[in-house]
Amino acid sequence: MSRIDQNTVVVIIGAGVAGLTLANFLLRNGIDCIVLEKHSRKHVEQRQRAGSLDGRAVRMFREWGLAEVIEAETAHDDSDSEGMPLRIDGQERIWRALDVLDDEPGIFCPQQVLVGNLIEVFLRDGGDLRFEVDVALHGLDSQRPTVRYRHAAGADEVINCDFIAGCDGYRGISRQSIPAGTLTSYSYEHGYAWLAFLSAVRADPPAVMAVHSRGFAAQITRGPNLSRFYLQCPLTDGLEQWPDERIWIEVDARFGAPPAATGPITDKQIVPLSNVVHSPMQYRALYLLGDAAHLVSPMSAKGMSLALDDADAFARAVTQYVQKEDSVQLESYSQTRLGHIWDTQVHAVWITNVMHDAGDPSYAGEFRKRLARAELERMMLPLARSGA
């Protein structure tokens, strides 16, 4: 039996980085909100995702009084392609110093660590977070929509709200609830994939990339003794073509040296690389944030920072509306965010193409490889100065 007795200003769908950051921002401004998440808390806190925040995102947490959620993480310099050392054909190279406008360093922060910290702070400060619920959105065309959800135990609940924040990812219910034909989707497919896998191997340094004639490779920290590895591969590859023995051979070859340690391989998957933007990022009282609205290729390491930018912009817009009855920021949310998102897509597509075209020429051809190698050399110190 449904209980239509709950009211709040914002219902946040999804307890990922975007949803939890937004919830904490709203809570600090005294704005009522409820977070609904379909998975269990354990599942959410153990999800392994990208873990790099740029300087702008770091400063944002500090400005909102949430420095505690990131203060223990490892800093990196945004000017050197997110601080990642680069090995080209087995030789370690050094990035040229770039002039940057932001003097705030970025950090490596595994997403599960940030999510766990955000949950802890939100609940500690009195936030309302409900796990393991199935959600449906209703009345999006009305002045005050409702969110219906069902607990795992089978009880139904209804929440009336002013706004819905769709923070439930690329395949979530939020964007799917928008009437067909309302949004325009723009996408770019890179034509290759990453074989991504986890292994109980310490990443030291926290991230390193490799460009090699066999393809691109990377190792990124996911915790004190856990790494996510990436190997470029054809879109047509299946997991059965990548037994563990072959994987470690490729890691050895592409980095030009065997890894310091190897371990059991888990969470193995093929991930096609693509960039996607959905426009507009709003339908009536439903606003899209993070992956629900856009994807950037993971090569750019900007996905999590973009989601945080969305949360910051929407939190400020809602606060302005509630406290001052000013809807200007809400009305311009989509247009403002899309301008920044498209700027980020320019960089994301560019760096992805350079790093992959410079390796295996079977994807884009020898001409594109030589162009990409020339571009890389413009970004590297000469070999004589890099110590190679």
Side-chain angles (χ1 to χ4, degrees):
M1 184 175 184
S2 297
R3 299 200 328 257
I4 310 178
D5 58 358
Q6 301 173 83
N7 293 275
T8 193
V9 177
V10 182
V11 173
I12 300 170
I13 313 298
V17 167
L20 291 168
T21 299
L22 172 62
N24 276 284
F25 288 174
L26 293 176
L27 190 62
R28 271 162 170 64
N29 273 347
I31 309 296
D32 288 338
C33 65
I34 297 172
V35 183
L36 302 178
E37 167 59 47
K38 69 177 182 178
H39 296 293
S40 69
R41 178 173 179 175
K42 180 179 179 181
H43 176 91
V44 169
E45 290 184 331
Q46 292 182 349
R47 280 189 299 210
Q48 300 287 333
R49 300 286 175 82
S52 182
L53 295 179
D54 60 21
R56 175 173 171 164
V58 172
R59 186 172 59 252
M60 184 189 308
F61 277 121
R62 291 177 176 156
E63 290 175 349
W64 281 95
L66 283 164
E68 61 185 302
V69 303
I70 58 171
E71 61 187 5
E73 303 310 315
T74 304
H76 65 65
D77 182 356
D78 284 334
S79 68
D80 62 0
S81 191
E82 308 308 332
M84 297 184 187
L86 177 64
R87 298 184 68 83
I88 301 178
D89 295 329
Q91 294 180 309
E92 186 160 331
R93 302 294 298 274
I94 298 176
W95 300 88
R96 291 181 184 274
L98 301 177
D99 293 328
V100 292
L101 299 177
D102 195 343
D103 58 1
E104 182 75 62
I107 62 170
F108 291 111
C109 182
Q111 190 170 138
Q112 73 274 14
V113 173
L114 179 57
V115 164
N117 291 344
L118 288 167
I119 289 175
E120 182 179 349
V121 171
F122 185 62
L123 295 178
R124 180 198 68 194
D125 294 346
D128 190 340
L129 174 53
R130 309 177 189 184
F131 291 101
E132 298 183 84
V133 296
D134 290 324
V135 174
L137 311 185
H138 298 275
L140 293 181
D141 291 318
S142 66
Q143 290 187 339
R144 193 166 168 79
T146 61
V147 178
R148 296 177 181 269
Y149 68 93
R150 174 170 294 181
H151 292 281
D156 290 333
E157 302 282 350
V158 176
I159 307 173
N160 301 299
C161 59
D162 296 307
F163 308 104
I164 300 171
C167 308
D168 50 344
Y170 187 71
R171 295 178 177 83
I173 191 65
S174 296
R175 194 179 69 251
Q176 296 177 23
S177 299
I178 296 175
T182 302
L183 304 183
T184 301
S185 297
Y186 305 91
S187 63
Y188 176 76
E189 307 297 330
H190 288 274
Y192 40 78
W194 279 357
L195 170 72
F197 64 93
L198 286 171
S199 185
V201 175
R202 178 177 175 83
D204 186 17
V208 60
M209 299 183 295
V211 170
H212 192 273
S213 60
R214 298 168 75 120
F216 174 82
Q219 179 186 4
I220 316 293
T221 184
R222 287 294 183 269
N225 294 294
L226 188 67
S227 294
R228 172 77 77 176
F229 287 84
Y230 302 100
L231 296 173
Q232 182 184 6
C233 65
L235 289 168
T236 54
D237 274 11
L239 292 178
E240 69 280 358
Q241 297 170 258
W242 287 94
D244 292 2
E245 182 180 6
R246 181 191 176 192
I247 286 175
W248 290 122
I249 290 173
E250 282 298 312
V251 170
D252 185 341
R254 298 186 190 191
F255 282 103
T262 61
I265 290 175
T266 60
D267 193 32
K268 193 188 304 184
Q269 53 188 299
I270 302 290
V271 182
L273 266 62
S274 62
N275 295 61
V276 181
V277 177
H278 299 284
S279 179
M281 292 171 58
Q282 173 195 3
Y283 177 73
R284 305 295 177 89
L286 170 60
Y287 294 78
L288 302 178
L289 290 77
D291 288 357
H294 44 75
L295 296 176
V296 291
S297 57
M299 180 72 246
S300 67
K302 293 294 184 182
M304 194 156 66
S305 294
L306 273 184
L308 295 175
D309 286 341
D310 292 346
D312 176 71
F314 186 64
R316 294 181 187 279
V318 171
T319 301
Q320 188 78 359
Y321 176 80
V322 172
Q323 296 181 351
K324 299 184 178 181
E325 297 185 354
D326 183 349
S327 63
V328 171
Q329 291 185 40
L330 278 171
E331 293 167 357
S332 63
Y333 167 78
S334 179
Q335 181 178 1
T336 300
R337 291 302 306 134
L338 284 170
H340 179 62
I341 288 160
W342 279 113
D343 284 345
T344 303
Q345 293 284 6
V346 170
H347 170 77
V349 171
W350 168 76
I351 192 63
T352 301
N353 287 341
V354 169
M355 298 300 290
H356 291 77
D357 290 353
D360 184 349
S362 66
Y363 295 95
E366 190 64 36
F367 184 83
R368 288 276 294 272
K369 175 177 179 175
R370 291 180 178 273
L371 284 179
R373 284 293 176 106
E375 184 70 0
L376 271 182
E377 286 300 326
R378 286 152 50 101
M379 296 187 284
M380 299 289 111
L381 289 176
L383 275 171
R385 292 180 60 189
S386 68

